[in-house]
Amino acid sequence: MLQTRVIPCLLLKDDSLVKTINFKKPGYIGDPVNTARIFNELEVDELAVLDITATNNKRQPNFKILSELANECFMPLAYGGGIRTFDDAKKMFQIGIEKVIINTITFDKPEFITQLAAHFGNQAIVVAIDVKKNMFGKYQVFSNSGRKKQKVNVIDWAKKLEQLGAGEILLTAIHQEGTWNGFDIELIESITNAVDIPVIANGGAANLKDIEQVVKKGNASAVSLGSMVVYQNKGMGVLVNFPNRKELESAIRK
């Protein structure tokens, strides 16, 4: 297992996997279960799946596909999207999901984090923070897959999530997501310095150098990869892959 977790993050839309750019323009990637099989063969340590339409469409998670994924995956599986009730979360753990990822619901019901953490343990609760940098360089927090701006300060919000019982934060820079332009190190470092729980950096990775920088400069506890593990390269076709493990270990060794 890698010293710093490097986690493929797959985006689910209806029954298929897609990849977005700045949370827009979803491009088809493939079948979720077949993709999970490939990551099994590549022996990744952890896998995350986010349903990008469940919350905005006000529907439950796709438990059928998630059950198939949980049965297929050899590695721990985290899932986010459309989890709004205790029963939703409970069903996730019953089918074999190891962590739930929540976001939008936390703005209306912050106590939901505490409820889940008290019952399932902090380690099983990941709270996502989606952040966009505006034209003035100010960071703004969004919910609803980047559609709704929230009136919270990102650092204060991260601290509050930790106090409420979040076990990890999945921090996504919307302005970097899918761009291959590297992580927003400034954003990530500001959050890792503010909280004591693990921060998973997400959005923008293009190569091993980006991963090295976000771990060593941004102090990320884990790294989430999207485009880099589903495409051959920028502007090229779909190819499910994972960085060479020895090169990865060398890059992230502190």
Side-chain angles (χ1 to χ4, degrees), residues 84-150:
R84 289 187 292 273
T85 68
F86 180 85
D87 286 341
D88 288 339
K90 183 179 179 181
K91 191 168 182 179
M92 288 294 165
F93 295 116
Q94 286 175 339
I95 65 176
I97 305 290
E98 306 233 349
K99 297 178 183 179
V100 294
I101 304 170
I102 54 177
N103 183 352
T104 301
I105 186 68
T106 63
F107 294 97
D108 296 325
K109 291 177 58 180
E111 68 275 10
F112 188 50
I113 301 169
T114 308
Q115 180 190 20
L116 295 182
H119 193 85
F120 301 109
N122 302 68
Q123 80 291 338
I125 313 303
V126 182
V127 182
I129 306 179
D130 296 333
V131 182
K132 188 186 296 182
K133 182 187 281 188
N134 68 14
M135 61 186 295
F136 303 107
K138 181 182 178 183
Y139 291 121
Q140 298 176 312
V141 177
F142 284 76
S143 64
N144 297 83
S145 296
R147 293 186 184 183
K148 184 177 180 180
K149 189 189 302 182
Q150 296 289 341

Side-chain angles (χ1 to χ4, degrees), residues 143-159:
S143 64
N144 297 83
S145 296
R147 293 186 184 183
K148 184 177 180 180
K149 189 189 302 182
Q150 296 289 341
K151 296 179 180 179
V152 296
N153 172 275
V154 61
I155 295 175
D156 292 341
W157 183 238
K159 290 178 178 178

Side-chain angles (χ1 to χ4, degrees), residues 219-237:
N219 298 314
S221 303
V223 182
S224 170
L225 302 179
S227 298
M228 193 175 158
V229 295
V230 296
Y231 292 122
Q232 296 177 53
N233 213 319
K234 186 176 182 179
M236 298 179 69

Side-chain angles (χ1 to χ4, degrees), residues 27 43 53 69 96 113-114 127 136-137 164 166 175 179 217 231:
E43 297 182 341
T53 59
L69 279 172
I113 301 169
T114 308
V127 182
F136 303 107
L164 287 167
H175 50 284
T179 65
K217 292 184 179 180
Y231 292 122

